[in-house]
Amino acid sequence: MKITIIGSGYVGLVSGACFAELGHDVICLDINPKVIAQLKIAKAPFFEPDLNRLIEKNILKKRLKFTTSYFTGCKNNIFFICVDTPDDGAGSPDLKNLNSVLATLKDKIKKDAVLVLKSTLPIGTNKSIAESMDKHFLSKNINIDVCSNPEFLKEGSAVNDFMHPDRIILGTPNKFSKLLLTEIYKPLKLPSNSFFYMSVESAELTKYASNTFLATKISFMNEVAQIAEKTGANIHEVRAGMGADKRIGSHFLYAGLGFGGSCFQKDMKALISFEKKSKIKNSIIAEALKINQNQVKLFLNKIKSNAGPNLKNKSFIIWGLSFKPNTDDIRDSIAIELIKLLSPNVKQLYLFDPKVTSDSLSCLNQYKNIQFLNTKYENFSSAHGLIICTEWDDFVSPKIQELQKLKDRIIFDGRNILDSEILKENNLSYIGIGI
Ligand code: UGA
């Protein structure tokens, strides 16, 4: 099938490359000429495992094209809209980019079309888009169907998530669009019970509810971790015990520095703002967000009380800058937040990440006591302690003799990935979360 993807960010580009891999003819459209020029030579503007391979392969197979032109993009009549809807600063999603895409489509579409919204949109947005499309196109005798098909891919495993989804959510009352979208996803060979057909409002809310539920699970475990610390329980043992209950499940039960990234906090804020407007009281989501925002401060206090009180003459290595492993994305990264809080209190911070490069760290320019390291074990003998902020596989089994070079031999594990017993046996101090 011939598909146009509008917006070549994480969701759009991964969806486009994967649809092409599934055999569809895909045009990815983006208004950023730099991004499109790079994509034409098979270079994704961000790191995502396996993505460049898929782009290159499908360009060669002539199933994947890139353009900045709506004239080219509008040759097709199936559009997946994947533009970002960032926080507008007041807690609601900013629909500026979406509105500009819709205005252009109104001008450029000349035949019946299906608009599939993958962007995360406030509940009710799809309906109002459908109404506004009808108002514009019906007098021209053109029929535009608007569907909601939220995306559940995770950065760092986005290609795999797209190719092996737990479910496909299709929000549309239109029979033709249901069949069409089911056909588009058919090459994934999913069982029929992986498809959930529902109203557009339910599809919109399913996306928000899924993200905020996962975020709440994490905050819940971070709360339990605090109780564990006060009682002598161990959060690893508690998680294993809880996760064995199939009703609870073992995923997203990891206590740590809290969740970062561009999705969870944004989606929580959007639902909280909706709840406020709708006079819904006692928000679990609002509490879960507060717990997350407090997590980094609790960790900073741990650093102060275990390596301080005066940290002014102390230096630390920070491992992990991305908001999660297998990505170079630092948007809303807890590591960056911690660095901003820690830097004014310490002598020097040495930063290392397997994928984030110093070029993307302009947000830290004002902090003068920061040095970016190119290799993992650099400067250990100049530092007092190690602070782990991201759970990269590369950090799970560090060399003990390197850790022993740290002046205070202290390790703050913000993601609970190290074996505390081994460290203690080797005369290293270990501070985790809920342990
Ligand atoms: C999230 C959702 O998981 C996706 O399903 C959704 O499609 C996406 O948002 C989106 O709306 O676009 P993402 O933010 O890419 O995906 O990454 P996650 O794997 O969900 O991790 C988010 C944060 O939670 C990370 O900082 C991670 O370190 C943290 N986390 C995760 C924990 O602290 N504990 C856990 O147990 C799991």
Side-chain angles (χ1 to χ4, degrees):
M1 257 180 254
K2 294 182 188 303
I3 295 172
T4 293
I5 307 272
I6 303 183
S8 296
Y10 276 98
V11 173
L13 193 51
V14 172
S15 305
C18 290
F19 277 140
E21 179 69 10
L22 295 178
H24 299 301
D25 275 329
V26 179
I27 300 175
C28 286
L29 189 157
D30 200 288
I31 51 166
N32 186 332
K34 249 171 96 179
V35 167
I36 292 299
Q38 256 194 307
L39 285 170
K40 282 184 175 170
I41 52 165
K43 273 183 91 178
F46 49 83
F47 169 73
E48 184 62 40
D50 215 25
L51 184 59
N52 275 335
R53 183 188 67 83
L54 284 195
I55 294 175
E56 197 176 332
K57 176 178 163 194
N58 286 286
I59 290 178
L60 287 173
K61 295 240 175 212
K62 302 201 184 316
R63 290 193 298 238
L64 184 59
K65 297 190 179 73
F66 298 97
T67 185
T68 53
S69 152
Y70 271 85
F71 177 75
T72 307
C74 287
K75 285 181 180 159
N76 295 335
N77 60 355
I78 305 171
F79 298 88
F80 280 81
I81 303 183
C82 306
V83 291
D84 57 339
T85 51
D87 183 0
D88 67 357
S92 296
D94 185 341
L95 302 185
K96 193 174 70 220
N97 293 338
L98 174 73
N99 288 334
S100 127
V101 166
L102 294 172
T104 315
L105 286 178
K106 276 183 183 164
D107 191 35
K108 304 286 180 197
I109 287 179
K110 303 288 177 219
K111 55 188 174 192
D112 289 358
V114 177
L115 300 192
V116 188
L117 277 300
K118 270 200 178 292
S119 303
T120 303
L121 299 175
I123 301 128
T125 312
N126 276 274
K127 192 174 171 202
S128 65
I129 295 173
E131 283 165 1
S132 127
M133 288 290 158
D134 279 352
K135 206 168 152 198
H136 182 84
F137 282 106
L138 281 183
S139 58
K140 299 182 171 54
N141 221 8
I142 293 175
N143 189 45
I144 307 290
D145 192 39
V146 178
C147 313
S148 170
N149 171 217
E151 188 49 66
F152 298 99
L153 53 83
K154 305 183 289 296
E155 288 184 31
S157 57
V159 169
N160 188 58
D161 290 345
F162 192 97
M163 292 302 199
H164 307 281
D166 290 337
R167 77 299 207 188
I168 304 281
I169 301 290
L170 298 175
T172 170
N174 183 305
K175 273 193 188 148
F176 168 77
S177 296
K178 268 185 210 168
L179 288 174
L180 180 90
L181 284 164
T182 309
E183 200 56 30
I184 289 175
Y185 284 106
K186 202 172 171 187
L188 288 174
K189 298 193 171 71
L190 299 172
S192 58
N193 61 3
S194 299
F195 287 87
F196 291 83
Y197 305 98
M198 54 182 79
S199 70
V200 281
E201 291 82 0
S202 298
E204 290 167 330
L205 183 53
T206 301
K207 168 70 189 190
Y208 275 112
S210 301
N211 268 7
T212 52
F213 182 74
L214 291 170
T216 303
K217 251 182 133 176
I218 299 169
S219 280
F220 179 84
M221 286 312 279
N222 282 331
E223 182 176 335
V224 174
Q226 285 190 58
I227 302 172
E229 284 178 14
K230 304 262 184 234
T231 55
N234 179 312
I235 197 71
H236 287 306
E237 294 169 356
V238 177
R239 177 177 47 77
M242 283 173 68
D245 184 329
K246 289 191 185 69
R247 294 169 304 170
I248 298 172
S250 56
H251 296 291
F252 279 69
L253 286 189
Y254 289 87
L257 269 171
F259 49 83
S262 63
C263 302
F264 282 174
Q265 306 202 38
K266 170 177 75 75
D267 292 354
M268 293 172 101
K269 285 179 188 165
L271 276 199
I272 294 165
S273 138
F274 180 82
E275 287 174 338
K276 276 190 187 146
K277 275 186 218 147
S278 315
K279 310 235 178 311
I280 295 173
K281 289 187 184 145
N282 302 328
S283 168
I284 290 179
I285 304 167
E287 283 308 310
L289 182 61
K290 270 191 223 153
I291 290 174
N292 196 60
Q293 288 163 341
N294 198 38
Q295 214 48 23
V296 68
K297 291 173 201 140
L298 289 177
F299 196 63
L300 182 68
N301 287 343
K302 276 190 180 177
I303 297 173
K304 282 182 181 163
S305 58
N306 288 282
N310 184 8
L311 298 180
K312 275 285 175 202
N313 55 357
K314 303 247 163 143
S315 301
F316 296 89
I317 309 270
I318 306 252
W319 273 2
L321 302 172
S322 55
F323 86 92
K324 63 176 286 191
N326 298 320
T327 176
D328 56 1
D329 192 350
I330 57 162
R331 284 177 296 168
D332 284 320
S333 164
I334 309 286
I336 303 296
E337 219 178 307
L338 181 69
I339 291 164
K340 288 179 179 173
L341 292 172
L342 201 52
S343 161
N345 292 294
V346 299
K347 186 173 166 204
Q348 185 80 32
L349 290 176
Y350 302 106
L351 318 182
F352 174 76
D353 188 277
K355 278 288 168 208
V356 176
T357 60
S358 53
D359 312 340
S360 56
L361 293 174
S362 56
C363 59
L364 297 177
N365 279 353
Q366 68 187 99
Y367 302 92
K368 299 297 172 206
N369 57 347
I370 283 175
Q371 188 186 326
F372 191 80
L373 305 177
N374 291 316
T375 56
K376 199 165 65 168
Y377 293 117
E378 238 173 291
N379 281 15
F380 265 56
S381 42
S382 314
H384 294 82
L386 166 69
I387 302 170
I388 299 179
C389 292
T390 314
E391 60 275 33
W392 284 93
D393 280 351
D394 198 25
F395 300 156
V396 174
S397 310
K399 288 184 190 155
I400 297 293
Q401 62 282 25
E402 296 291 341
L403 300 183
Q404 286 170 333
K405 290 181 187 164
L406 294 164
K407 288 180 191 168
D408 286 351
R409 291 179 160 228
I410 187 163
I411 289 117
F412 296 94
D413 183 357
R415 295 292 173 185
N416 285 352
I417 53 172
L418 302 187
D419 186 329
S420 57
E421 293 308 315
I422 294 182
L423 299 185
K424 283 175 197 162
E425 279 163 21
N426 286 283
N427 292 325
L428 291 152
S429 302
Y430 177 84
I431 316 289
I433 292 174
I435 296 168

